[in-house]
Amino acid sequence: MTTIDRAQHDKLANAIRSLAMDGVEKANSGHPGLPMGAADVATVLFTRVMTYDAADPRWPDRDRFVLSAGHGSMLLYALLYLTGVPGMELDDLKKFRQTESKTPGHPENFMTAGVETTTGPLGQGLATAVGMAMAERMLAAEYGKKIVDHHTYVLASDGDLMEGISHEAIALAGHQKLNKLIVFWDDNGISIDGPLSISDNVDQVARFKACGWRAERVDGHDPDAIEAAVRRAQKSNKPTMIACKTIIGFGAPKKQGTSKAHGEALGAEELAAAKKNLGITGGPFEVAADVLKAWRGYGKAGAAAHADWKGRYEAMSERKRDEFDRRQVHGIPAKLDKAILAHKKALIATPQNVATRKASELALEAITPVMPELVMGSADLTPSNNTRTKAAQDFTPKTPKGRYVRYGIREHGMAAAMNGITLHGGFRTGGGTFLVFADYARPSMRLAALMGLPVVYVMTHDSIGLGEDGPTHQPVEQIASLRAMPNMHVFRPADTIETAEAWQFALENTKGPTVLALSRQNLPQLRTDATATNRSAKGGYELLPAEGGKAEVSLFASGSEVEIAVAARKLLAEKGVKARVVSVPSLELLLAQDEATQAAIIGSAPINVAVEAGVRFGWDAVIGEDGGFVGMHSFGASGPYKEVYKHFGITPEAVVDAAMKRHNG
Amino acid sequence: MTTIDRAQHDKLANAIRSLAMDGVEKANSGHPGLPMGAADVATVLFTRVMTYDAADPRWPDRDRFVLSAGHGSMLLYALLYLTGVPGMELDDLKKFRQTESKTPGHPENFMTAGVETTTGPLGQGLATAVGMAMAERMLAAEYGKKIVDHHTYVLASDGDLMEGISHEAIALAGHQKLNKLIVFWDDNGISIDGPLSISDNVDQVARFKACGWRAERVDGHDPDAIEAAVRRAQKSNKPTMIACKTIIGFGAPKKQGTSKAHGEALGAEELAAAKKNLGITGGPFEVAADVLKAWRGYGKAGAAAHADWKGRYEAMSERKRDEFDRRQVHGIPAKLDKAILAHKKALIATPQNVATRKASELALEAITPVMPELVMGSADLTPSNNTRTKAAQDFTPKTPKGRYVRYGIREHGMAAAMNGITLHGGFRTGGGTFLVFADYARPSMRLAALMGLPVVYVMTHDSIGLGEDGPTHQPVEQIASLRAMPNMHVFRPADTIETAEAWQFALENTKGPTVLALSRQNLPQLRTDATATNRSAKGGYELLPAEGGKAEVSLFASGSEVEIAVAARKLLAEKGVKARVVSVPSLELLLAQDEATQAAIIGSAPINVAVEAGVRFGWDAVIGEDGGFVGMHSFGASGPYKEVYKHFGITPEAVVDAAMKRHNG
C-alpha cells in the first residue's frame, strides 16, 4: 500500500480539479463536474496503481486507462500534463475545446498522445476496454507475461452504464473472465436532467455480479479505500467493478452534488469559492511547484519498469521483435499479396460459383496462414457469416491462444471490442453479423471510422437476396447509410475474385474500417483474370466492354446484381444495343478517385443504368439524375429470394427496360 | 387456477408444435425450435391467462402478447389460427414465408391481424412492450380501469436478453415499476453457434432483480407451474420476469436440445419421429377436430369480457368516446392546423431569431394544448432538446397522468418504447436526443419506418454547429443515412416558421416517423409569410427569387445553412450574378414529388450549388453530378462553432466561389 499521506493526496487531486475548472472556465464550455468528482479516483490510479511511463505513452506494456466518461476530458488532459506526457503543455490546457488544439471537447486519440481511445458517445469506452483486455490476454498467451502483462482501467459514468452497449460489454467481459479489467464507476447520482433517481434505480453492484463480475462499493473520496479495492480486484479471477460514491463538482460550494456542476463553466465566483474551499492558491492554470514536481515524479515512476521491459524485449530474437513491432503498428504481412494472388489463381483454375459469404471463407482460409494476428469472430452467426476457418480455435479463458471470438448476440459490443483489440496493438480483427444489423453496431463502427481503425466487418445476407427472413432482415438502406460515413469503406463484391480483392483492400488499408457486404445466395464466378493487380481497389472497373462498337449503354452494378447486369447486356445485344458492364464493388471508393480515373471507369455512353438491390441514394453521382436505376424503393418482403427479386422488379428485363426507355425516348 | 388437465394441455400445446413443424417443413425455411420449446408457455397464456377475443384482435382493452423472439413466428401464426382470428386460415399457414402471404418469415403487424408488433431484430419486442405497458398505465390513468386495464406479456429468447437494448428496456421498466408487464424468458440454453454457454453466463434472474423486477425460475414444460408464476406476477408491484427452462425443439427426438432444432426444417424423418413421439396423428397441417374445437373455445372465452367492456365504453359520453376512438387510430386533432397557423402568425408579428431546437419548444407550446395525447420525453437531454413544455408533468409511478418521460441515457430503449406507446393506441409521441445519437436508436427507428408508426424524433445539435463537443457529437452523415431509410422523413428546418411546419407535417403524417434535425445555435427568422399552407410539406420551395431577371444560379440549402445561402445570394448580386435560394427542409420529400413539381422547385438555372453542413451523399439528385456542393467531406472538429464553420469552409464566400467557378468556367 501507499506511502502518500492524505494531505499530499489532496494536493495532487486538487491540482486536477484546479486545472479542470480553469480549462472549462477559459473555454466557457465543457464539463467540470466529472473531473472534480473523480479526481481522487484518478489520482489513486496514476500515483499508486498504474504502471506507465509518461515519457512514452506508446510503450506496449503500459497499463491502459480509458476515460469512458469522455465529457470529463479535462481530467485526462490534466493528468497528461501533470504526469509529463511530452507535448502536453499548460498552453494546450489553455486551448481547451479550441479548433485544432490537443485538448478537444472529448478525448480524441488521433489528436492527443496518451489518449488510449476516442470517447464521448456513452458506453463506448467501457466496451472498447473489453476488447483491449481481450487483446492483452491474447498477446500475453503468445509472447508470455514477460512481454505482455498489464491491466486495463476504466472510469465510467452513470451514462456509460445506462447505455445498452454496457450490457453487451459487461456480459462479454464476465463470460471471458477478463480479470485484468477493472472498472471504476463514478457513482455521483447526477445526470443532465437532474438526480439520477428520476430515470434510474438499477443496483449496479448486483447487476455486475449477475454478469460474472466482482463488484463492491467504496467511498470515491477516500484514496486508501480506493487503493485497497484495486488491490483486491487485482487478485480476482473475474473482472471487477468498483462503485465509487462521489460528489459531482466536488469542492464547488454551491454547485457540487447538482446537475449544474455537470456541463458548463462554474462561473468566476463559484470557481473562486471552490478554489478557496479546496485550499488551492495561485492564478488560473497555476500549479504549485512542489505539487507539479510530485506529479512529474509519478509520471516517471514507471520508467524503471519500462527499462526492465525493454531488456526483456531486447532478449527476444530479432525476428520475434520485428514481428512484435510489425503487429503493434498493424504492418501488412509480407506474404499477404502473394497468398491472395495464389488464391485468385486457384479460383481461376477451379471456378467457384458460391455465395460471396462462402467466397469470404475461402479467402480467409488463404489469408489466415500468413496473418497470425488476425482475430475473427461473429455475433452468434458463425454458420451464416462463414467467419471461422477450419483450423480456428475459440478464444476462451482456458484457450487464450484461440483467435476466434464467440461474441454472442452482441453486435454493438462486438464492434466496440474490435476497436479495443485494434487499439491495443498486436492484432487485426474482423467480425461477422447480418448486414441489416450494422444498425445495431453503428456507433462503434463510426468510432472506428473516426479513429481510423482498420477493422473488418463481415456482413452477410446483404440484400433481399436472403429471401424468407423478410424485411426486418433484408438490408435496403444500410449500404447507402454506410457509404455516407466518412472514412468507412463498403465493398459489395460480385464473385469469389472480387471478394478476395475486397479482403485484400480491407487488410491493406490500415487507416480505416471496411465493410464487406456479402451474399447469402450463390453467385457465378464472373472474373476470368487473376493478375496481381487489385482491380476492385479503385471501386469500379469495366468487367465487360461493349461488343461491336462504342457503348450505347453503361450498366453499373454491385454484388449479386452484377450477374443481372451481365444478363441484361446480353439481352440488349440481342436487340442490337451495345452495352458495357461496370462492376462497382465500392461506390464511394470509385467516387473518391480523381476526376480522370472516374471518367475513364464511368465512361461516356449516352445512357447509364445502375442496378443494385438497395436504395438509389448515392448512385446519382455516377449515373446522373437522368440515369436509370433498378433497385429498391421500399423495404423488402418475405419469400423465396428469386420470387422476391421478381416481386421488386430487380431483373435483367427491368434493366433492359430502363435502358430501352432512354434509348427510344 | 385452471381446470385444464395435463393430457388436455398437452394436446393443445402439441397442436402448436405440429403446425409449426409442418409450416417450416413446407417452406423448407424457418425456425421450428422456438415454437416447439415454448408451446407450453404459449398455451398457458392463451388458454388460462390472457383476456382476449380472437374475433376482434383490435379490441383496445385486450391483453397484449409480444413475441419478441420473432424468428419463432410459426408459434404466433399457429395461435392466431387455433384461436380463430379472422383471416388466418390453414391455407395461410401453408403459405408460410411465401411472398405476400399473411405468414411472413418474421411477424409483421402490417401484414397480419393479431400481430401486435413487428419483431425479428432481437431485443426490439421486449423494448417495444415496455412502451405498450407505459401507454396502458397512462391511458388507464386518464380513462379509468373500467376502460383500460390489461397486461402486456412478452416471450423473449436468449438473444433478446443478450442485446444491449434489453438493458435499457428492463432498467426503464423496473424504474417505472411497470407491474403489468410480464416477460417469459424461453431459457433453452441454445443459440445459433451452439450451447449458450459458449458465449454467455449471465444470471438473468439476478440481473432482472438488480433492475427492479420480480424474477423467478419455473419449468417451462410444467403448465401449472407456469400459471402459478403468472398469478404471482399479476399481484406484484413490479414487472416480472419468469425464466422458463425449456427444451428447444421439444419432442424432436434427435434434434431437440441442440442448435440443429433452431433455424431449419426438421426434415421428413425427424418430423415424423417428433409427431410420433408427441402422440400427434393425422397428416401435415391437420389438427384433430376436438383439439381445434377446444382451441376455438379459448379464442372466444374473452368475448364476454369484451362485451362487458363494450357496455362500459358505451356508457361514456359520445364526446369522450369519439376522442377515445380518434386517439386509438391516431386521428389528427381538429384544432391542430388552427393552432399552428396562429403560432406562425404570432411569429411573423414578433420574429424570433432562435435556435430551431428553441423554435421546436415554441411550436410544442402551441401544439400541446390541442393535442392531449402527445407524450414527449428525452434521453436525459431535456435542457438541450427543449422537449419539455412549461406545463408538462413527468410520467412516474406516482403520477401516471404525467405526459413527459425521463427516459434516461437510453436512446435505443426510448425509440423502442415510443414504438410501443404508438402501437398501443391512445397516444402520439416524440422523444429527444442529439442527432448524432440517432445511430444508437437506429434499429428501433427502422422498425417505426417499416411499421409506419408516426413517431417524432426531436434530434438537436444537428451539425458541426454544435461546436466544442467535437466530432463524436457532430453529425456529418446521419442526415444522409436517415434520408436513405424508406418511409423515414427527415426535416431540417431553417427557422421558427419552418420548424412549426415540420412539426405540422410530422403530426399530420400518420403513416410513418419523422426526424426533426434541429440546431443548437441561433438562426435568423427568414420567413416573412404565415399562410395556412405548409410550404415545407413538399420538401423544398423557393425562399427568395432571383432579382432583376432569370436566375443564373440556384442555391439549395437546409437548416442552418439557408442563412448562408441567403448571404451568398447577396454577395452574388454584388457581382452582378442573379441567384435564387431554394430552402430544402426535407430533401427526400422533395425527391418524392412528381417530376413536374420537382422541376418547378428545383428550377432550371444553369448553375446549381447546394450548401449543407453534412455529406454530399444524396444531393446529386438535385444539383446533378456537376453541381457545386459546399459541405462536409470528413468528420467534424472541436471548437467554437463559427470557427469550425470557417475551418471546414462552409461560408457564404465558399458558396459564391462554387457558383463563380461554374459561372466563369
Side-chain angles (χ1 to χ4, degrees):
Chain A
M1 294 285 288
T2 188
T3 55
I4 303 174
D5 70 20
R6 180 63 194 248
Q8 176 68 0
H9 167 88
D10 287 347
K11 279 189 192 172
L12 295 167
N14 286 337
I16 297 174
R17 294 189 174 103
S18 180
L19 291 171
M21 284 189 275
D22 289 339
V24 174
E25 197 70 18
K26 182 153 197 302
N28 194 23
S29 172
H31 302 75
L34 184 129
M36 296 173 78
D40 292 312
V41 173
T43 300
V44 169
L45 269 176
F46 280 77
T47 62
R48 310 184 188 192
V49 172
M50 284 171 58
T51 303
Y52 65 101
D53 179 1
D56 182 4
R58 298 299 303 158
W59 169 30
D61 202 30
R62 71 196 177 277
D63 282 340
R64 267 64 169 175
F65 173 70
V66 173
L67 180 66
S68 193
H71 54 277
S73 54
M74 268 307 303
L75 175 78
L76 191 46
Y77 302 144
L79 285 164
L80 298 179
Y81 166 69
L82 291 168
T83 57
V85 170
M88 182 60 79
E89 306 297 337
L90 263 189
D91 269 356
D92 297 301
L93 300 187
K94 291 176 186 169
K95 287 182 198 150
F96 181 52
R97 294 190 152 231
Q98 303 308 301
T99 317
E100 295 182 272
S101 73
K102 287 176 190 163
T103 50
H106 291 84
E108 312 289 359
N109 70 331
F110 50 90
M111 302 284 279
T112 315
V115 171
E116 297 287 356
T117 179
T118 288
T119 52
L122 291 168
Q124 298 294 333
L126 171 60
T128 301
V130 171
M132 292 179 183
M134 287 167 64
E136 193 271 346
R137 178 174 287 168
M138 287 179 188
L139 205 62
E142 204 172 336
Y143 286 87
K145 286 200 176 289
K146 287 187 178 175
I147 299 300
V148 182
D149 184 10
H150 52 265
H151 281 81
T152 303
Y153 298 97
V154 178
L155 181 60
S157 62
D158 301 310
D160 287 301
L161 302 193
M162 291 175 89
E163 289 288 357
I165 189 175
S166 68
H167 175 60
E168 301 184 22
I170 70 173
L172 180 59
H175 178 74
Q176 291 285 359
K177 299 188 198 298
L178 299 175
N179 61 316
K180 292 168 89 174
L181 175 64
I182 299 176
V183 173
F184 299 85
W185 168 35
D186 180 40
D187 177 15
N188 63 32
I190 292 295
S191 75
I192 289 174
D193 271 18
L196 192 66
S197 58
I198 70 171
S199 64
D200 197 51
N201 62 349
V202 171
D203 179 340
Q204 296 289 1
V205 166
R207 177 194 172 204
F208 274 75
K209 284 181 178 171
C211 293
W213 288 53
R214 267 193 85 249
E216 60 171 300
R217 290 188 172 83
V218 301
D219 175 352
H221 298 302
D222 179 342
D224 292 346
I226 297 164
E227 183 184 355
V230 178
R231 300 299 170 209
R232 285 189 291 273
Q234 287 170 337
K235 287 175 195 146
S236 174
N237 62 351
K238 299 176 177 180
T240 294
M241 190 276 273
I242 303 169
C244 303
K245 194 79 199 163
T246 64
I247 296 167
I248 191 171
F250 183 91
K254 287 185 187 162
K255 294 188 172 177
Q256 70 178 1
T258 77
S259 55
K260 283 182 187 161
H262 169 74
E264 57 187 29
L266 293 177
E269 196 179 324
E270 179 77 353
L271 191 154
K275 286 199 173 178
K276 193 175 168 198
N277 200 15
L278 294 165
I280 300 166
T281 54
F285 296 99
E286 247 182 66
V287 180
D290 63 318
V291 175
L292 182 60
K293 192 179 166 198
W295 262 117
R296 291 283 158 98
Y298 294 112
K300 290 188 189 100
H306 186 185
D308 288 350
W309 178 88
K310 192 92 179 168
R312 297 191 297 274
Y313 164 85
E314 299 287 358
M316 294 198 296
S317 70
E318 189 180 342
R319 201 188 53 75
K320 207 165 174 182
R321 261 183 286 139
D322 286 350
E323 181 71 354
F324 184 87
D325 293 348
R326 177 186 73 76
R327 286 171 52 172
Q328 283 294 315
V329 298
H330 305 313
I332 300 162
K335 293 179 183 169
L336 182 63
D337 280 343
K338 213 172 143 185
I340 287 173
L341 180 58
H343 171 58
K344 283 163 71 174
K345 285 185 174 166
L347 288 169
I348 295 298
T350 315
Q352 305 274 331
N353 299 324
V354 294
T356 47
R357 61 175 170 151
K358 180 70 184 171
S360 168
E361 184 187 331
L362 298 176
L364 278 171
E365 292 286 4
I367 291 162
T368 45
V370 300
M371 200 160 183
E373 72 266 35
L374 188 60
V375 176
M376 295 298 297
S378 167
D380 194 47
L381 287 170
T382 299
S384 296
N385 299 145
N386 298 51
T387 33
R388 197 168 191 274
T389 53
K390 286 186 200 81
Q393 186 189 22
D394 285 356
F395 172 73
T396 73
K398 286 182 185 165
T399 54
K401 286 189 177 172
R403 292 289 172 267
Y404 191 79
V405 184
R406 305 281 186 173
Y407 281 107
I409 302 160
R410 306 185 181 105
E411 300 82 9
H412 203 175
M414 174 175 75
M418 289 199 290
N419 290 349
I421 290 170
T422 309
L423 284 163
H424 180 275
F427 298 100
R428 293 289 299 276
T429 189
T433 185
F434 289 162
L435 177 58
V436 81
F437 300 139
D439 284 1
Y440 275 80
R442 202 170 162 95
S444 299
M445 294 171 74
R446 186 178 205 254
L447 284 183
L450 176 61
M451 290 191 273
L453 303 179
V455 173
V456 186
Y457 310 101
V458 179
M459 295 188 153
T460 68
H461 297 58
D462 71 344
S463 77
I464 54 167
L466 64 87
E468 289 88 345
D469 274 344
T472 53
H473 285 54
Q474 291 165 350
V476 164
E477 77 284 19
Q478 275 72 18
I479 290 173
S481 78
L482 291 166
R483 284 174 179 156
M485 192 183 283
N487 201 33
M488 175 65 75
H489 288 97
V490 182
F491 273 83
R492 189 163 181 263
D495 73 354
T496 53
I497 303 278
E498 280 193 7
T499 304
E501 292 180 343
W503 263 109
Q504 186 177 24
F505 178 92
L507 294 172
E508 295 187 351
N509 169 28
T510 58
K511 302 296 179 200
T514 304
V515 169
L516 304 180
L518 304 172
S519 77
R520 172 177 187 262
Q521 73 272 32
N522 286 340
L523 300 175
Q525 186 172 309
L526 298 168
R527 281 274 291 279
T528 53
D529 61 297
T531 58
T533 308
N534 184 338
R535 292 182 73 193
S536 302
K538 284 180 183 162
Y541 62 92
E542 188 176 82
L543 176 71
L544 294 173
E547 277 184 0
K550 214 175 156 191
E552 297 165 89
V553 178
S554 286
L555 300 175
F556 301 88
S558 81
S560 43
E561 287 70 68
V562 177
E563 178 186 10
I564 290 176
V566 169
R569 172 173 171 272
K570 201 178 160 203
L571 293 176
L572 285 167
E574 287 167 12
K575 289 177 189 285
V577 176
K578 294 178 275 298
R580 60 197 275 271
V581 173
V582 180
S583 181
V584 186
S586 178
L587 176 62
E588 78 284 6
L589 198 52
L590 172 59
L591 295 175
Q593 303 302 313
D594 62 57
E595 272 188 41
T597 308
Q598 270 191 65
I601 296 167
I602 293 172
S604 55
I607 297 168
N608 289 332
V609 177
V611 51
E612 184 173 72
V615 296
R616 178 175 180 134
F617 212 75
W619 275 101
D620 292 273
V622 169
I623 58 175
E625 65 271 37
D626 299 324
F629 182 75
V630 175
M632 295 297 293
H633 304 277
S634 68
F635 290 108
S638 171
Y641 85 88
K642 288 182 182 173
E643 283 182 31
V644 175
Y645 264 87
K646 271 185 205 146
H647 178 77
F648 289 107
I650 303 178
T651 61
E653 293 74 21
V655 174
V656 170
D657 285 352
M660 293 309 291
K661 200 175 120 191
R662 286 163 177 80
H663 193 260
N664 306 327
Chain B
M1 295 285 287
T2 189
T3 55
I4 303 173
D5 70 20
R6 182 62 195 250
Q8 176 67 1
H9 166 88
D10 287 347
K11 280 189 192 173
L12 295 166
N14 285 338
I16 296 173
R17 293 190 174 103
S18 182
L19 291 171
M21 283 188 275
D22 289 339
V24 174
E25 197 69 18
K26 183 156 195 302
N28 194 23
S29 172
H31 302 76
L34 184 131
M36 296 174 78
D40 292 312
V41 173
T43 300
V44 169
L45 269 176
F46 278 77
T47 63
R48 309 183 188 193
V49 171
M50 284 173 57
T51 302
Y52 66 101
D53 180 1
D56 181 5
R58 298 298 304 157
W59 169 28
D61 201 30
R62 69 195 179 279
D63 282 340
R64 266 65 169 175
F65 173 69
V66 173
L67 179 67
S68 194
H71 55 276
S73 54
M74 268 307 303
L75 176 80
L76 191 46
Y77 302 145
L79 286 163
L80 298 179
Y81 166 68
L82 291 168
T83 57
V85 169
M88 182 59 80
E89 308 297 338
L90 264 189
D91 269 356
D92 296 303
L93 300 188
K94 292 175 186 169
K95 288 182 199 149
F96 181 52
R97 296 191 151 227
Q98 303 308 300
T99 317
E100 294 184 270
S101 73
K102 287 175 189 162
T103 49
H106 291 84
E108 311 289 0
N109 70 331
F110 50 91
M111 302 285 280
T112 316
V115 172
E116 297 287 357
T117 179
T118 288
T119 51
L122 291 168
Q124 297 294 332
L126 171 61
T128 301
V130 171
M132 292 179 182
M134 288 168 64
E136 194 270 348
R137 178 175 285 167
M138 286 180 188
L139 206 62
E142 202 170 339
Y143 285 88
K145 285 202 177 287
K146 288 185 178 178
I147 300 299
V148 182
D149 184 11
H150 52 264
H151 281 80
T152 303
Y153 298 97
V154 178
L155 181 60
S157 62
D158 301 309
D160 288 301
L161 303 193
M162 290 174 89
E163 289 287 357
I165 189 175
S166 68
H167 176 61
E168 301 183 23
I170 70 175
L172 180 59
H175 179 74
Q176 289 286 356
K177 298 187 198 300
L178 298 175
N179 60 316
K180 293 168 90 176
L181 175 65
I182 299 176
V183 173
F184 299 86
W185 169 37
D186 181 39
D187 176 15
N188 63 32
I190 293 295
S191 75
I192 289 175
D193 271 18
L196 192 65
S197 58
I198 70 171
S199 63
D200 196 50
N201 62 347
V202 171
D203 179 341
Q204 295 289 0
V205 166
R207 176 194 172 203
F208 274 76
K209 284 181 179 171
C211 293
W213 289 52
R214 267 193 85 249
E216 59 172 302
R217 289 187 172 85
V218 300
D219 174 351
H221 298 301
D222 180 341
D224 292 346
I226 296 164
E227 183 184 355
V230 178
R231 300 300 171 207
R232 287 189 289 274
Q234 288 171 336
K235 288 176 193 144
S236 175
N237 63 351
K238 298 175 178 180
T240 294
M241 190 277 273
I242 303 170
C244 302
K245 193 80 200 162
T246 64
I247 296 166
I248 191 170
F250 182 90
K254 287 186 188 161
K255 294 189 173 178
Q256 69 178 1
T258 77
S259 55
K260 284 181 186 161
H262 169 75
E264 58 189 27
L266 293 178
E269 195 179 324
E270 179 77 353
L271 191 155
K275 284 199 175 179
K276 194 176 167 194
N277 200 15
L278 296 165
I280 300 166
T281 55
F285 297 101
E286 248 181 65
V287 180
D290 63 317
V291 175
L292 183 60
K293 192 181 166 197
W295 261 117
R296 290 285 156 96
Y298 294 113
K300 289 187 188 101
H306 186 184
D308 288 352
W309 178 87
K310 192 91 179 169
R312 297 192 297 275
Y313 164 84
E314 299 287 357
M316 294 198 297
S317 69
E318 190 181 341
R319 202 189 54 74
K320 206 165 176 183
R321 261 183 287 139
D322 287 350
E323 181 72 354
F324 184 86
D325 293 348
R326 176 185 73 77
R327 286 171 49 173
Q328 283 294 312
V329 297
H330 304 314
I332 299 161
K335 293 179 182 167
L336 181 63
D337 279 344
K338 214 171 141 184
I340 286 173
L341 180 59
H343 172 58
K344 282 162 72 175
K345 284 185 173 167
L347 288 169
I348 295 298
T350 314
Q352 305 274 332
N353 299 326
V354 294
T356 47
R357 61 176 170 148
K358 180 69 184 173
S360 168
E361 184 187 334
L362 298 175
L364 278 171
E365 293 285 3
I367 291 163
T368 46
V370 300
M371 200 160 184
E373 71 267 34
L374 188 61
V375 176
M376 294 298 299
S378 168
D380 195 49
L381 287 171
T382 299
S384 295
N385 299 146
N386 298 51
T387 33
R388 198 169 190 273
T389 53
K390 285 187 200 80
Q393 187 189 20
D394 284 357
F395 172 74
T396 74
K398 287 183 183 165
T399 53
K401 286 189 178 172
R403 292 290 171 267
Y404 191 81
V405 184
R406 304 282 186 173
Y407 281 106
I409 301 158
R410 305 183 181 105
E411 300 82 9
H412 204 175
M414 174 174 76
M418 290 199 289
N419 290 349
I421 291 170
T422 308
L423 285 162
H424 179 276
F427 297 100
R428 294 288 300 277
T429 189
T433 185
F434 289 162
L435 177 58
V436 81
F437 299 139
D439 283 0
Y440 275 79
R442 201 170 164 96
S444 299
M445 295 172 74
R446 186 177 203 253
L447 283 183
L450 177 61
M451 291 191 272
L453 304 179
V455 172
V456 186
Y457 309 100
V458 179
M459 295 187 152
T460 68
H461 297 56
D462 71 344
S463 77
I464 54 167
L466 65 84
E468 288 89 345
D469 274 344
T472 54
H473 284 55
Q474 291 165 350
V476 164
E477 77 283 19
Q478 275 72 17
I479 290 173
S481 79
L482 291 166
R483 283 174 180 156
M485 191 183 284
N487 201 34
M488 177 64 75
H489 289 97
V490 182
F491 273 83
R492 189 162 181 262
D495 72 354
T496 54
I497 303 277
E498 280 194 7
T499 304
E501 292 180 341
W503 262 109
Q504 185 177 25
F505 178 93
L507 294 173
E508 296 188 351
N509 169 28
T510 58
K511 303 295 179 200
T514 305
V515 169
L516 305 180
L518 304 172
S519 76
R520 173 178 187 261
Q521 73 272 33
N522 287 341
L523 301 175
Q525 186 172 309
L526 297 168
R527 280 274 289 280
T528 53
D529 60 300
T531 58
T533 308
N534 184 336
R535 291 181 74 192
S536 301
K538 285 179 184 162
Y541 62 91
E542 188 177 82
L543 176 70
L544 293 174
E547 276 184 0
K550 217 176 153 190
E552 297 165 90
V553 177
S554 286
L555 300 174
F556 301 88
S558 82
S560 43
E561 286 70 68
V562 178
E563 176 186 12
I564 290 175
V566 170
R569 173 175 172 272
K570 202 178 160 202
L571 293 177
L572 285 168
E574 288 167 11
K575 290 176 186 289
V577 176
K578 292 177 278 296
R580 60 197 275 273
V581 172
V582 180
S583 180
V584 186
S586 178
L587 176 62
E588 78 285 6
L589 198 52
L590 172 58
L591 295 175
Q593 304 301 313
D594 62 57
E595 273 190 37
T597 308
Q598 270 191 64
I601 296 167
I602 293 173
S604 55
I607 297 168
N608 289 331
V609 177
V611 50
E612 185 173 71
V615 296
R616 179 176 180 133
F617 212 74
W619 275 102
D620 293 272
V622 168
I623 58 176
E625 64 272 37
D626 299 324
F629 182 76
V630 175
M632 294 297 291
H633 304 276
S634 68
F635 290 108
S638 171
Y641 85 88
K642 288 182 183 174
E643 281 181 32
V644 176
Y645 264 86
K646 267 184 210 151
H647 178 76
F648 288 107
I650 303 179
T651 60
E653 293 73 21
V655 175
V656 170
D657 286 350
M660 294 309 291
K661 199 176 121 190
R662 286 161 179 81
H663 194 263
N664 305 329

